[in-house]
Amino acid sequence: MSLDSDVIVDRRRLRRKLTFWRVTAVLIAIAALSVAGLVMSPRGTSAISTTGSIARVNIEGLIRSDQERTEALERLGNSSTAAVIVHINSPGGTTAGSEQLYDSLVRLKAKKPLVVVVEGLAASGGYITAIASDHIVAQQTSLVGSIGVLFQIPNVSDLLKTVGVKVEEVKSSPLKAAPNGYEPTSQEARDALDALVKDSYAWFKDLVKTRRGLDDEQLAKVSDGRVFTGRQGVDLKLIDELGDEKTAVAWLVAQKNVKKDLPVRDYKLTPRFGDLTFLRTAAAITLDAMGLGSIARQLERAGVTQAVDRLGLDGMLALWQPGSGN
């Protein structure tokens, strides 16, 4: 009986090991196939390889500098695509990233008829992106605007005093690496930051004034940092028309001589590594296999991924943050 029991235990161990390596092999195969697909086919081939179509570009989430996105939009400009519809749903991001995306879309617009559709939100850097187009369509309840610039840094000096931690430093001048969050911000450092914010804010307002054809009085009404609904945006000249993608297509047909009834096809910009489908699938399979699938769902519902994204933003922000009163 003892020998039989040992054999049964050994078989169970072997079966568990075999199951583990089978799951591992499947995950590796999924990752390899996905990477091979990304390497062998250029980004955005669905729109480039199809003639006689309108490309749909989606700009979602936080906006930051992205050279691969710039290159993807350049490829789109050199393609045979008839026109481009840019869908925006973004609270903004860094001022530098928003400016880079704006410039990329302006260059694209010089080659292709281009129209913007605001899905739910085009605020701060998202609105900078939108005004690259000569025509902006938004739904009645979409939010647009938040014309302003923000510089934030957490200050943990009181916390460090509480736990008895002191940060020492030697620097070449008082404004080097200021503010640093480890000590109260000096007035000199605050004044320097204020000058940066005001300069970027002036650039933002001038861009809106020029692109949307506003006078000083009209600009003053929309540039106090608040957001407006699509319905309000029409009267304030922040957008041109209420509607959706069909409305945008109709404008392209009527104003840009784009052929009627052309299909609208997705053009994929470079996905961020954490957004790759095979990684999400592999993570879900792994957590489920470990009995931790519920944890992954809870993290998604809690918005942990979005919070980590925000921590990765460097520099001045053109970002709408309703939670902080901006």
Side-chain angles (χ1 to χ4, degrees):
M1 290 295 292
S2 178
L3 180 60
D4 291 340
S5 298
D6 291 339
V7 171
I8 291 173
V9 170
D10 288 339
R11 285 181 177 176
R12 287 178 178 174
R13 288 175 178 171
L14 288 173
R15 190 178 295 113
R16 284 197 295 268
K17 289 181 179 179
L18 182 59
T19 300
F20 170 80
W21 286 114
R22 283 177 176 171
V23 172
T24 302
V26 170
L27 296 179
I28 292 174
I30 292 173
L33 289 173
S34 300
V35 172
L38 289 171
V39 172
M40 295 175 65
S41 60
R43 306 273 202 272
T45 53
S46 60
I48 289 183
S49 61
T50 304
T51 59
S53 66
I54 299 172
R56 180 191 295 116
V57 173
N58 291 304
I59 304 297
E60 299 177 330
L62 298 175
I63 298 172
R64 69 194 77 201
S65 298
D66 188 337
Q67 185 58 35
E68 291 186 337
R69 179 186 61 207
T70 298
E71 293 171 358
L73 291 173
E74 288 177 355
R75 288 194 296 272
L76 180 57
N78 294 326
S79 73
S80 57
T81 300
V84 180
I85 299 176
V86 179
H87 287 255
I88 299 176
N89 188 14
S90 171
T94 65
T95 52
S98 302
E99 181 182 3
Q100 181 195 57
L101 180 53
Y102 169 85
D103 289 340
S104 296
L105 291 177
V106 168
R107 289 192 294 268
L108 177 58
K109 184 187 66 176
K111 298 180 178 180
K112 305 286 181 184
L114 186 147
V115 60
V116 159
V117 175
V118 179
E119 289 289 347
L121 179 65
S124 293
Y127 188 66
I128 292 175
T129 302
I131 59 178
S133 171
D134 293 329
H135 196 75
I136 303 173
V137 177
Q139 295 179 328
Q140 297 187 56
T141 56
S142 295
L143 297 178
V144 297
S146 187
I147 299 168
V149 179
L150 173 71
F151 192 105
Q152 285 184 331
I153 183 170
N155 193 299
V156 296
S157 57
D158 289 340
L159 174 62
L160 294 180
K161 289 179 181 178
T162 301
V163 298
V165 176
K166 183 179 180 181
V167 178
E168 297 184 353
E169 62 183 5
V170 177
K171 54 185 180 180
S172 58
S173 60
L175 291 180
K176 180 63 179 177
N180 55 30
Y182 302 130
E183 59 186 5
T185 303
S186 68
Q187 188 58 50
E188 187 180 11
R190 192 175 296 277
D191 290 342
L193 291 178
D194 183 63
L196 289 177
V197 169
K198 286 181 178 178
D199 185 68
S200 293
Y201 181 42
W203 166 80
F204 193 169
K205 289 196 297 181
D206 185 64
L207 190 65
V208 173
K209 180 179 181 180
T210 302
R211 294 294 302 143
R212 300 304 301 169
L214 305 180
D215 58 31
D216 290 338
E217 183 179 354
Q218 291 171 322
L219 181 63
K221 290 181 180 179
V222 299
S223 59
D224 61 359
R226 77 180 79 178
V227 291
F228 303 90
T229 66
R231 285 162 53 90
Q232 294 172 317
V234 172
D235 293 334
L236 294 170
K237 297 179 67 175
L238 291 175
I239 68 168
D240 299 289
E241 190 175 4
L242 295 175
D244 53 17
E245 183 175 271
K246 290 184 178 180
T247 309
V249 171
W251 181 81
L252 289 172
V253 172
Q255 301 296 325
K256 297 297 182 179
N257 298 318
V258 174
K259 291 183 180 180
K260 191 177 181 180
D261 299 326
L262 288 181
V264 181
R265 304 186 187 281
D266 283 330
Y267 178 81
K268 300 292 185 181
L269 299 178
T270 304
R272 294 182 59 202
F273 192 65
D275 292 334
L276 295 180
T277 303
F278 81 85
L279 286 180
R280 289 186 176 181
T281 303
I285 292 175
T286 302
L287 288 173
D288 286 336
M290 298 172 61
L292 301 175
S294 60
I295 294 179
R297 313 299 180 265
Q298 291 173 3
L299 289 176
E300 290 177 359
R301 288 194 296 269
V304 172
T305 302
Q306 292 86 341
V308 172
D309 271 350
R310 290 202 176 197
L311 289 176
L313 295 178
D314 295 322
M316 284 185 293
L317 307 180
L319 177 66
W320 186 56
Q321 294 178 298
S324 62
N326 177 43

